[in-house]
Amino acid sequence: MTSFIKRSNDSAIKIDIVSDVSCPWCAVGYNELNNAISQFEGEVDIAWLPLEINPDMSKEGQDVTSYLSQKYGMTSEQQQQNMAMIESRGHAAGFEFKPMKDRHVYNSFDCHCLLHIAKEYDLQTPLKLALLSLYFQRGGDISDRELLSNAAIDVGLPSDAIAKAFNDEQLRQDVRVVMQQIRSAGVTSVPTLIVNNQYAIAGAQGEAGYLDILQQVAAMEK
């Protein structure tokens, strides 16, 4: 795999999570992974990489019913089953979703720009969790810059960094380039874990599945 992130702690298992704030399985998968890490004896170093699942989504967004029907061809019954599965997996992992039927789908590009600059302040994971909570637990508009700014300030991101994320065209182009690199490396879905720049694991694997992956990687790296 292409090396996207360089870190100083060479002893830790390095996991780059390709993710989108608008993806409910990313919230589920991270909580399952975090639960697995709490049972794992080794060190794990997490970073976040951007991949928009709805890059052409308009500013006003789209209600979840029409979105799922249009993008995935889901019937009403299939949507209900899918939402129930997500809510159940989230509950089991410790993440309580606002009812999925009330979800509205928004453009998430500004989220990725904030997360990109948050890396410089070692605030990626706190910000990612704040954004996931804003969207999936409080129903917030993740394309609203005021709401995004408040979430970023709450985790400690400086106001000048927030302004740069929204207004610096070079930074925003850098995010687009990273997303293209990720797609070129063969990653097309979220969540996808890139482990030690070698192994790509797509989809939320469950707590036991993630723990098994961590243990296998640790054994191979000895």
Side-chain angles (χ1 to χ4, degrees):
M1 296 297 299
T2 300
S3 178
F4 297 108
I5 303 292
K6 293 183 179 180
R7 304 179 179 85
S8 58
N9 185 357
D10 292 332
S11 65
I13 292 177
K14 301 165 183 64
I15 298 181
D16 299 313
I17 305 176
V18 183
S19 173
D20 193 343
V21 174
S22 64
C23 167
W25 286 111
C26 292
V28 171
Y30 174 76
N31 277 263
E32 292 175 341
L33 173 63
N34 195 46
N35 292 340
I37 289 172
S38 69
Q39 303 170 55
F40 179 62
E41 294 183 357
E43 293 184 63
V44 179
D45 188 1
I46 289 177
W48 298 87
L49 293 172
L51 191 66
E52 284 184 282
I53 58 176
N54 301 299
D56 300 320
M57 183 60 66
S58 63
K59 171 63 179 173
E60 62 272 13
Q62 187 176 10
D63 69 274
V64 70
T65 299
S66 62
Y67 167 76
L68 292 174
S69 176
Q70 178 181 324
K71 183 163 185 173
Y72 300 107
M74 285 188 183
T75 65
S76 176
E77 182 178 358
Q78 288 172 329
Q79 290 185 29
Q80 291 174 16
Q81 292 173 346
N82 180 264
M83 292 174 188
M85 181 187 302
I86 292 170
E87 290 173 359
S88 176
R89 282 279 293 272
H91 177 77
F95 188 91
E96 299 295 338
F97 285 93
K98 180 181 179 182
M100 294 295 292
K101 64 180 178 59
D102 299 331
R103 184 162 66 104
H104 196 84
V105 183
Y106 299 101
N107 187 287
S108 62
F109 185 68
D110 279 343
C111 295
H112 290 299
C113 294
L114 282 171
L115 288 161
H116 184 79
I117 201 165
K119 177 173 55 180
E120 299 177 15
Y121 298 86
D122 198 26
L123 290 172
Q124 269 197 318
T125 294
L127 179 58
K128 184 73 173 191
L129 298 182
L131 295 176
L132 289 171
S133 178
L134 170 65
Y135 183 42
F136 288 115
Q137 297 182 315
R138 290 183 281 151
D141 179 351
I142 53 170
S143 69
D144 184 316
R145 289 186 171 183
E146 182 177 356
L147 290 180
L148 294 181
S149 296
N150 290 339
I153 289 169
D154 285 346
V155 301
L157 197 63
S159 57
D160 59 338
I162 296 169
K164 184 175 182 179
F166 292 154
N167 300 310
D168 188 314
E169 190 50 44
Q170 183 58 58
L171 180 146
R172 295 171 73 80
Q173 181 59 26
D174 289 345
V175 173
R176 296 184 183 98
V177 169
V178 172
M179 287 195 284
Q180 184 54 52
Q181 290 175 338
I182 290 167
R183 293 189 182 96
S184 296
V187 178
T188 58
S189 63
V190 292
T192 293
L193 271 61
I194 301 172
V195 183
N196 286 348
N197 292 320
Q198 298 180 66
Y199 318 107
I201 301 150
Q205 300 295 312
E207 182 178 325
Y210 283 128
L211 182 57
D212 184 57
I213 289 166
L214 292 172
Q215 292 169 338
Q216 287 188 48
V217 171
M220 288 188 291
E221 296 296 321
K222 287 183 178 179

